[in-house]
Amino acid sequence: MPKLNQIVPAELLEKADKILFVAHLALGDFTYMQACFKAFAEAYPHIKIHLWVDEVRRTYDFRQWKHLKNYVVFDWLQTCPMFDKLYTKTYSPFVLRESIREAQKEDYPVVVSFGLARRPMYAQMVRKISRKGFAVAMTKRVRFYDFRKHLIYGALDGTIPVYSHDKTLHVSDVYANWFTSLFGIQVPHEKRIPTMDVPQQWKDGAVRQLQEWGIAAKAGRTRALVFLNAFAKPPERSWPVSNVTELVRRMQADPKWADADFVINTMPELWDSTQRDVQAAGVPRVRLFSAHDHFFQLPAMLEQSDLIITVETSIMHLANAVRVPVVAMMRQINPEWAPIDAANTNIVYTPEKDDWINQISVDTVMEFLQMPMGSAPRFTPYQLARMAS
């Protein structure tokens, strides 16, 4: 049992039978926070962990509910044995009220919010869910005349240190620091590398898909399979499809990759346009892929790959989780989100701090492909300057 100073009293945790965590988790968040939840489960095996996944895109627009209620991170969370209960119905104000009433009936002794955005809203939420329990939330310095926020934060039993702006820290360091402050739990660096157990049915599905394409499964393969992803929802993180097809052409001209097969990932809604662009480029041994039916289709295909080349999105973190080498194209603006497994990662940063990913050239990616995995510099010029000072 942890003995360090902690926000949530140790004697309270010794008596508690359950705890509720409230967070707006994206795939990248959970990729690095999972180690902290595992550490908590090991430190307090008598406490059942309940997780509230809040939908920040919550809306009254019923046309969006179908999409929001099937958030992909739910598929992963439902396979994690550390969670005894999940709250996933928060996509509209109506189901939010139902979920709050359901949570109130649990009479939680401890409720913790990791809500970074809309901090006052989440502080109110955890207090509303547990009127008598120990409520903790993120806070920020409040101006003396903002009485409303003073009242909201004053109703909490504890506050969590805000997200660090030190860009030399990895996001996994920030999350680990939260759990140390809250519960006195130490999460060693070697345990922060993400893991993922892909269910067998999706592993088998990936192998069947490869067989349909005429590609051998990884265990019996004689030529490499390269997974390429150029798509992210924000345009500043995306790479042109023309660059992808040119990269394939250049790699096929390189003796190292001359016999390789290539899988190009796309979003379901961009399937037709991506297919047209790839067919127009006329590059051979290229197949198009998208996780149409289930989240685990994606990590199952990543796991079958020999190399992953991707822009700055969840795929670069999932690559670390399935232990496949990755070349990740990143902007300099968020270096704390670099893939954590240095030995299996080469990072290609944009030339300038404010550049978009499309400023990374095919020539530059080819240069990084010649480097041994893990040999490329992991720090941006900004980070190096901060560390030197």
Side-chain angles (χ1 to χ4, degrees), residues 51-101:
L51 179 63
W52 174 296
V53 184
D54 201 60
E55 178 53 75
V56 294
R57 297 166 294 179
R58 183 164 41 247
T59 177
Y60 284 101
D61 185 354
F62 67 91
R63 294 168 297 182
Q64 299 185 44
W65 293 349
K66 182 178 180 180
H67 166 67
L68 295 177
K69 68 170 63 174
N70 295 319
Y71 192 29
V72 292
V73 76
F74 298 158
D75 295 332
W76 188 2
L77 292 171
Q78 287 164 359
T79 68
C80 297
M82 72 192 88
F83 299 119
D84 190 71
K85 182 174 183 176
L86 297 174
Y87 294 88
T88 60
K89 296 180 179 179
T90 63
Y91 54 85
S92 82
F94 307 109
V95 297
L96 173 67
R97 286 195 287 268
E98 294 175 7
S99 293
I100 288 177
R101 284 196 292 268

Side-chain angles (χ1 to χ4, degrees), residues 73 194 211 298 331 336 354 374:
V73 76
Q211 290 173 341
L298 175 59
R331 298 169 301 164
E336 70 273 21
D354 296 325

Side-chain angles (χ1 to χ4, degrees), residues 151-192:
L151 287 172
I152 292 171
Y153 293 152
L156 296 172
D157 299 290
T159 61
I160 307 172
V162 295
Y163 193 103
S164 174
H165 294 288
D166 183 353
K167 295 294 185 177
T168 64
L169 289 178
H170 190 266
V171 68
S172 63
D173 299 322
V174 176
Y175 294 160
N177 289 342
W178 289 350
F179 275 72
T180 300
S181 299
L182 283 164
F183 312 111
I185 295 171
Q186 298 284 355
V187 186
H189 185 271
E190 62 273 13
K191 289 191 175 182
R192 298 179 198 169

Side-chain angles (χ1 to χ4, degrees), residues 85-327:
K85 182 174 183 176
L86 297 174
Y87 294 88
T88 60
K89 296 180 179 179
T90 63
Y91 54 85
S92 82
F94 307 109
V95 297
L96 173 67
R97 286 195 287 268
E98 294 175 7
S99 293
I100 288 177
R101 284 196 292 268
E102 180 183 352
Q104 287 172 331
K105 292 177 182 177
E106 292 282 351
D107 195 22
Y108 288 106
V110 183
V111 184
V112 176
S113 167
F114 292 125
L116 281 167
R118 306 175 189 173
R119 280 179 278 261
M121 183 197 77
Y122 285 108
Q124 283 184 305
M125 181 185 291
V126 295
R127 186 76 284 169
K128 185 175 183 180
I129 287 173
S130 182
R131 298 290 188 186
K132 298 179 181 178
F134 196 93
V136 189
M138 295 279 177
T139 61
K140 193 176 181 180
R141 187 175 179 180
V142 181
R143 294 181 176 88
F144 74 92
Y145 55 80
D146 196 336
F147 301 113
R148 175 178 170 273
K149 288 182 181 178
H150 281 293
L151 287 172
I152 292 171
Y153 293 152
L156 296 172
D157 299 290
T159 61
I160 307 172
V162 295
Y163 193 103
S164 174
H165 294 288
D166 183 353
K167 295 294 185 177
T168 64
L169 289 178
H170 190 266
V171 68
S172 63
D173 299 322
V174 176
Y175 294 160
N177 289 342
W178 289 350
F179 275 72
T180 300
S181 299
L182 283 164
F183 312 111
I185 295 171
Q186 298 284 355
V187 186
H189 185 271
E190 62 273 13
K191 289 191 175 182
R192 298 179 198 169
I193 295 177
T195 60
M196 173 176 283
D197 294 321
V198 179
Q200 191 62 45
Q201 69 179 100
W202 302 109
K203 290 175 180 279
D204 295 341
V207 170
R208 286 195 300 271
Q209 179 64 82
L210 291 173
Q211 290 173 341
E212 290 176 13
W213 288 336
I215 301 173
K218 193 170 188 176
R221 189 178 298 151
T222 57
R223 62 191 196 206
L225 178 64
V226 180
F227 187 98
L228 297 161
N229 174 60
F231 294 101
K233 289 183 180 179
E236 63 269 22
R237 297 184 185 179
S238 296
W239 212 42
V241 176
S242 58
N243 283 14
V244 177
T245 54
E246 177 59 24
L247 178 62
V248 172
R249 186 177 287 109
R250 294 278 299 278
M251 291 180 71
Q252 289 175 339
D254 186 324
K256 182 179 179 181
W257 306 101
D259 296 327
D261 290 293
F262 296 84
V263 172
I264 295 179
N265 183 61
T266 187
M267 297 178 181
E269 63 271 23
L270 297 176
W271 179 276
D272 291 339
S273 61
T274 307
Q275 187 176 53
R276 286 194 298 270
D277 291 341
V278 171
Q279 289 175 345
V283 286
R285 299 194 308 281
V286 171
R287 282 82 175 181
L288 206 59
F289 171 83
S290 184
H292 286 285
D293 301 321
H294 196 278
F295 160 71
F296 275 115
Q297 288 178 297
L298 175 59
M301 187 59 69
L302 294 176
E303 196 172 48
Q304 281 290 319
S305 303
D306 298 293
L307 174 67
I308 297 166
I309 304 172
T310 181
V311 295
E312 182 184 351
T313 188
S314 61
I315 288 176
M316 68 183 187
H317 307 302
L318 295 177
N320 277 184
V322 298
R323 300 296 187 267
V324 175
V326 59
V327 174

Side-chain angles (χ1 to χ4, degrees), residues 12-47:
L12 173 59
L13 292 170
E14 289 171 5
K15 298 175 182 177
D17 61 340
K18 55 192 167 185
I19 185 171
L20 176 64
F21 291 100
V22 176
H24 39 78
L25 289 177
L27 280 172
D29 296 312
F30 183 65
T31 301
Y32 293 116
M33 200 173 278
Q34 62 170 314
C36 300
F37 288 126
K38 288 179 181 177
F40 181 90
E42 292 171 1
Y44 300 100
H46 63 285
I47 299 179

